Amino acid sequence: MSEQTEQRTARQARHVVVVGAGMAGVQSAVALREAGFTGPVTLIGAEPHQPYDRPPLSKAVLLGKAEDSAFDVDFEALDITLRLGLDVTALRAADHVLDTADGPVSYDALVLATGAEPMTLPGAEGVPGVHLLRTLDDAARLRPVLDRQHDVVVVGAGWIGAEFATAARAAGCAVTVVEAAARPLAGTLPAEVAAPMTAWYADSGAELLTGARVDRVEEGAVVLDDGRVLPAGAVVVGIGARPATRWLAGSGVALGPDGSVTADSALRTSLPDVYAVGDCASFPSARYGTRLLVHHWDNALQGPRTAAAAIMAVQAGEPLPVYDPVPYFWSEQFGRFVQYAGHHADADTLVWRGDGADTAWSVCWLRDGALAAVLAVGRPRDLAQGRRLIESGAALDPEKVADPAAPLKSAAL
């Protein structure tokens, strides 16, 4: 064996540890193997369950149509060591060591994939009947609630609140959704775009209370700050999530104001040999000229491929990959399939394709004449074509964009 081959084999034998066994963590481990990494890979997960996908929790698993959503991955065949039900408590970067409940775990390269944790409602912790929906155990606790058709109060009219309300109505529960803002999805979409979605709640038989703040939660009731009392056999809190990074305090890993790990364009952190992917990490987007924190499934699927490629590139002394995706997510709510691609924060023009009162419509955001983002309700072709137009950066004809009868791709100049 030549000296160069021996050195390459030694580099490939380095131990990679992935913290977090959700989509981002599993895909990081799998991507390393797909990229040709032959050294030991350890995947650490805090939950005792076989690694599973989260989107079905608010749909099939919650409604009892599936027992779980375990990933179809043969970890043994891929020679990926699973350490499940293990909490990682600290990172000692100088020693390349993780502290865990079972003792220290050393690493040569580390991937942070700890995801996000749901925000809790102040004063509601420990009150019987209050639920979050983030884990398989959360879904298991909520299934009997739906089976018994309790009166349910959902706090928060964001994506997860709408999806849970949809499932609860499908199960026959009386549902009231309480939203502090003046409209649903207030932190995500402009008022005029979110406005048509308000009617979806009433159409499904759910009651939506906007501009309503929770004063306190009692067993069996939610009390609003205006004195109204809402009967609640169960309360589901969906008021957002934050990166699960508090365990990194004092580690030297740089965090942003939002708590996210501030990764670079190759998804490297501020520490050598440490990478970050998925919901816990933000990354710089040259496409949008800003740093993005994307709490969605597609980011957890795509980012790990870049991180794995970066690990391999560093070991081989090759150029680093660049992660600059078009963000994408979808939501199934109230009988509608909602899809979004892009980032509209800096857009200068909003163009409707169709009428928001109809069952199918789209909205396009343009920036300097090019498509920056698209929201499609029941128009999957608009989403698919729009995503490609965003990637291409092509200039568009706004009049053609506004014609719902014309393919969106035909608006390219």
Side-chain angles (χ1 to χ4, degrees):
M1 183 182 294
S2 70
E3 181 179 352
Q4 184 178 9
T5 303
E6 288 179 350
Q7 290 175 345
R8 181 175 177 83
T9 301
R11 285 197 299 267
Q12 288 184 338
R14 299 169 78 237
H15 183 200
V16 179
V17 175
V18 182
V19 182
M23 169 61 81
V26 167
Q27 289 300 319
S28 294
V30 170
L32 281 165
R33 292 299 187 225
E34 291 178 343
F37 182 77
T38 59
V41 175
T42 299
L43 180 63
I44 300 176
E47 295 182 55
H49 310 291
Q50 191 74 3
Y52 62 89
D53 203 7
R54 294 189 188 278
L57 296 184
S58 61
K59 306 172 184 72
V61 174
L62 188 60
L63 291 172
K65 297 177 181 178
E67 287 303 313
D68 60 39
S69 53
F71 292 112
D72 185 17
V73 175
D74 191 335
F75 295 100
E76 185 175 357
L78 291 172
D79 194 22
I80 296 169
T81 300
L82 293 181
R83 298 192 63 179
L84 303 177
L86 181 61
D87 283 320
V88 178
T89 56
L91 165 60
R92 288 185 279 133
D95 300 322
H96 274 55
V97 165
L98 293 166
D99 290 326
T100 79
D102 288 351
V105 175
S106 61
Y107 66 87
D108 294 305
L110 175 66
V111 180
L112 305 175
T114 47
E117 55 190 6
M119 297 174 64
T120 58
L121 189 64
E125 298 92 333
V127 177
V130 176
H131 301 264
L132 300 170
L133 181 53
R134 182 68 180 177
T135 69
L136 187 61
D137 289 338
D138 292 337
R141 284 188 288 267
L142 278 164
R143 276 171 60 172
V145 171
L146 300 191
D147 290 342
R148 291 193 292 267
Q149 297 186 336
H150 281 298
D151 288 344
V152 175
V153 173
V154 180
V155 182
W159 300 112
I160 191 65
E163 290 189 358
F164 180 81
T166 298
R169 285 298 302 138
C173 298
V175 177
T176 303
V177 180
V178 177
E179 171 56 52
R183 61 184 187 276
L185 297 169
T188 306
L189 296 175
E192 62 186 297
V193 177
M197 301 175 177
T198 302
W200 298 356
Y201 289 80
D203 291 345
S204 75
E207 183 177 10
L208 173 63
L209 304 179
T210 57
R213 295 186 176 275
V214 175
D215 178 70
R216 63 187 184 277
V217 178
E218 303 171 347
E219 186 171 358
V222 173
V223 182
L224 303 183
D225 64 358
D226 61 5
R228 284 179 288 178
V229 179
L230 308 177
V235 179
V236 177
V237 179
I239 55 175
R242 57 181 167 230
T245 57
R246 284 182 286 187
W247 68 281
L248 291 169
S251 68
V253 173
L255 303 179
D258 53 14
S260 67
V261 177
T262 53
D264 68 9
S265 60
L267 300 182
R268 299 176 301 173
T269 74
S270 58
L271 294 179
D273 305 315
V274 181
Y275 304 77
V277 295
D279 291 4
C280 72
S282 62
F283 57 89
S285 171
R287 185 190 310 277
Y288 291 105
T290 190
R291 177 168 288 275
L292 299 180
L293 174 60
V294 181
H295 281 184
H296 294 296
W297 185 90
D298 191 65
N299 179 53
L301 174 66
Q302 304 294 341
R305 298 170 185 168
T306 298
I311 290 171
M312 299 293 285
V314 168
Q315 292 184 15
E318 297 174 349
L320 289 168
V322 173
Y323 187 60
D324 195 3
V326 174
Y328 166 74
F329 71 89
W330 78 94
S331 177
E332 296 176 87
Q333 51 183 269
F334 308 119
R336 294 166 174 84
F337 188 45
V338 184
Q339 296 173 283
Y340 177 95
H343 179 70
H344 67 266
D346 295 325
D348 50 51
T349 304
L350 176 65
V351 182
W352 284 82
R353 285 174 59 80
D355 188 334
D358 294 337
T359 57
W361 48 274
S362 297
V363 170
C364 294
W365 287 268
L366 306 182
R367 183 181 64 180
D368 298 330
L371 189 62
V374 57
L375 173 77
V377 177
R379 291 179 64 99
R381 287 186 180 179
D382 280 2
L383 189 288
Q385 293 177 17
R387 196 173 184 181
R388 288 192 290 269
L389 287 170
I390 296 170
E391 290 171 345
S392 73
L396 304 184
D397 180 342
E399 291 187 5
K400 289 184 178 179
V401 171
D403 182 0
L408 184 55
K409 63 183 180 182
S410 69
L413 297 174

